[in-house]
Amino acid sequence: AAAAACFVLRFAYEGLQIANSGPFVELLVVVMFAVCTALAFRHTWDGFTKRPDPERQASLRGLLAIGFVGSLLAYFLRSLTEAPGEKLHREEYQQAREQYERRSTRRTGNPAKKRRRS
């Protein structure tokens, strides 16, 4: 998918060359895609270790759409070691299990049947 996305971006760049928009505009487009790709990669990679902030996620939606190649590359590289987000899900599951164990072992029985000391 990342290779196909780069292929699509290549067509867009060729369109700029055909339009003869000038080297400055072409340089701006290349730099914009490079920066957005790097930011999208970093944001996606960080999302595998902690839950992203929903407000920040909404504000970065446009940037992530432009840098979609970075997100695809982050998913690909992470999938070489484990399923993307698997470690985060495992940690959340372990925390939930520990909290459940603490809650369930706190009470040992019915307090009304407790023997009174004389």
Side-chain angles (χ1 to χ4, degrees):
C6 289
F7 193 64
V8 169
L9 288 178
R10 173 74 179 148
F11 280 133
Y13 183 74
E14 286 178 1
L16 282 175
Q17 286 180 336
I18 291 171
N20 207 9
S21 59
F24 181 70
V25 174
E26 291 175 5
L27 179 67
L28 280 177
V29 169
V30 169
V31 168
M32 184 242 343
F33 273 113
V35 168
C36 289
T37 298
L39 291 173
F41 179 89
R42 184 65 183 169
H43 181 76
T44 305
W45 192 263
D46 287 343
F48 295 141
T49 56
K50 60 184 177 186
R51 290 279 174 209
D53 181 29
E55 292 178 9
R56 184 170 185 258
Q57 183 82 12
S59 67
L60 291 175
R61 187 172 292 132
L63 184 128
L64 294 175
I66 294 170
F68 64 99
V69 175
S71 293
L72 293 173
L73 289 175
Y75 275 106
F76 171 72
L77 291 176
R78 187 59 176 213
S79 68
L80 294 176
T81 58
E82 68 178 0
E86 183 67 27
K87 183 178 179 182
L88 178 63
H89 290 295
R90 195 176 324 113
E91 288 173 357
E92 289 175 347
Y93 176 75
Q94 289 296 344
Q95 288 175 354
R97 291 283 297 168
E98 289 171 6
Q99 289 175 357
Y100 173 76
E101 290 297 326
R102 275 188 262 138
R103 281 193 313 258
S104 64
T105 58
R106 202 175 282 168
R107 290 185 58 185
T108 57
N110 188 352
K113 292 183 178 180
K114 193 173 188 180
R115 291 184 182 174
R116 300 212 184 255
R117 293 185 187 179
S118 326

